[in-house]
Amino acid sequence: MARTPLIAGNWKMNMNHLEAIALVQKIAFALPAKYFDKVDVTVLPPFTDIRSVQTVVDGDKLLLTYGAQDISAHDSGAYTGEISGAFLAKLGATFVVVGHSERRSMHGETDEIVFSKANAALRHGLTPIVCVGEPLEVRESGDHVEFCTQQTANSLNGLSAEELAKVVIAYEPVWAIGTGRVASAEDAQEVCSAIRAEVATLAGTDIAEGIRILYGGSVSSKNVAEIVGKADVDGALVGGASLKADEFATLCAIAAGGPLP
Ligand SMILES: O=C(CO)COP(=O)(O)O
């Protein structure tokens, strides 16, 4: 099944709202419209930047989309510091990352919390990018496939098949995040295909074949072609390389099969 590649730039805690405007404009300038027929591109800035990004995307009629790095499981009320999916939807957000390993580890986000956040995203018409991935000790023990399929099942179990069809999953081995130690394309394929098989048990083969599964962890313009070229890898969740306009645009163009004539 042909799945349009998705490249998502997770800016993490970088770029104030003015820097965000400049970065989005530079990415748009460096990535001509013709690429957007072959790759979906989204940027995930800090919450404080989203309104500014919306303004420049809408004002300049840019083809890239944008979203958030987290979401509250709740819709409104006494949840100090949290951000409702209703507010993100109002800002024109498309995607929202849930269960990033940095939130799982530093904020105690369990699979159950990740499930509730994915649910909240879907409730507000947002596409959750549900992150799973093993720590180094699990990789070294050879239990990474079982770990990731279990994390996938626990994070998505309870969604209907129709809801699951709307989800993006990102496989991000923790030992590859921010380390420059990128998983091999074969590593990515092994786990992404196992995740797809797990989704098939949850929601059937058609839905499993239709969803996009991304790889994340030290992706750059130098390694993205081989990784996204794998049968079950449908794009990338990019951290550091998404903060440099030319590097990110080049990475997106490669994922689109470019350079295009
Ligand atoms: O965590 C990541 C994206 O969500 C990956 O970060 P790096 O690309 O910097 O390794």
Side-chain angles (χ1 to χ4, degrees):
M1 166 175 285
R3 297 178 291 264
T4 303
L6 169 63
I7 300 295
N10 176 6
W11 295 1
K12 303 191 181 181
M13 191 167 74
N14 296 292
M15 301 289 159
N16 64 44
H17 71 287
L18 299 177
E19 292 165 326
I21 291 170
L23 180 54
V24 166
Q25 290 176 321
K26 286 174 187 171
I27 291 168
F29 182 76
L31 192 65
K34 62 186 175 184
Y35 285 97
F36 287 84
D37 291 336
K38 296 186 180 297
V39 63
D40 291 338
V41 178
T42 199
V43 295
L44 307 167
F47 290 128
T48 53
D49 302 359
I50 296 177
R51 174 60 181 147
S52 301
V53 169
Q54 177 188 34
T55 303
V56 69
V57 168
D58 291 353
D60 295 353
K61 296 181 175 41
L62 303 183
L63 298 174
L64 59 79
T65 60
Y66 52 91
Q69 300 171 23
D70 187 27
I71 182 174
S72 174
H74 311 287
D75 296 343
S76 65
Y79 302 100
T80 300
E82 298 193 20
I83 301 291
S84 167
F87 308 161
L88 298 174
K90 206 78 176 170
L91 285 172
T94 300
F95 294 97
V96 58
V97 173
V98 296
H100 191 281
S101 62
E102 290 157 3
R103 295 203 61 82
R104 287 175 184 264
S105 61
M106 292 186 266
H107 299 272
E109 292 197 0
T110 61
D111 290 341
E112 292 70 25
I113 290 173
V114 172
F115 168 73
S116 64
K117 291 188 168 191
N119 228 333
L122 293 165
R123 199 161 57 239
H124 295 291
L126 304 167
T127 299
I129 300 176
V130 181
C131 296
V132 299
E134 80 281 0
L136 184 59
E137 60 271 19
V138 171
R139 166 63 62 166
E140 288 174 340
S141 67
D143 298 328
H144 50 285
V145 171
E146 169 63 24
F147 181 94
C148 291
T149 52
Q150 197 56 56
Q151 204 173 42
T152 299
N154 294 343
S155 301
L156 298 176
N157 205 4
L159 292 182
S160 67
E162 186 188 4
E163 288 168 329
L164 252 169
K166 299 172 186 172
V167 167
V168 173
I169 298 172
Y171 166 53
E172 292 206 311
V174 177
W175 47 270
I177 295 174
T179 60
R181 181 181 167 190
V182 63
S184 72
E186 290 69 28
D187 291 337
Q189 169 58 21
E190 178 192 37
V191 177
C192 290
S193 63
I195 289 170
R196 197 177 304 280
E198 182 64 29
V199 171
T201 69
L202 295 173
T205 304
D206 288 349
I207 286 173
E209 285 302 313
I211 69 162
R212 289 184 288 194
I213 304 175
L214 314 180
Y215 166 79
S218 298
V219 172
S220 73
S221 60
K222 294 174 181 51
N223 56 42
V224 68
E226 190 184 4
I227 290 169
V228 177
K230 289 297 182 185
D232 286 296
V233 184
D234 307 310
L237 186 52
V238 184
S242 70
L243 299 172
K244 295 162 272 186
D246 287 340
E247 165 68 7
F248 186 64
T250 301
L251 192 160
C252 293
I254 292 166
L260 301 179

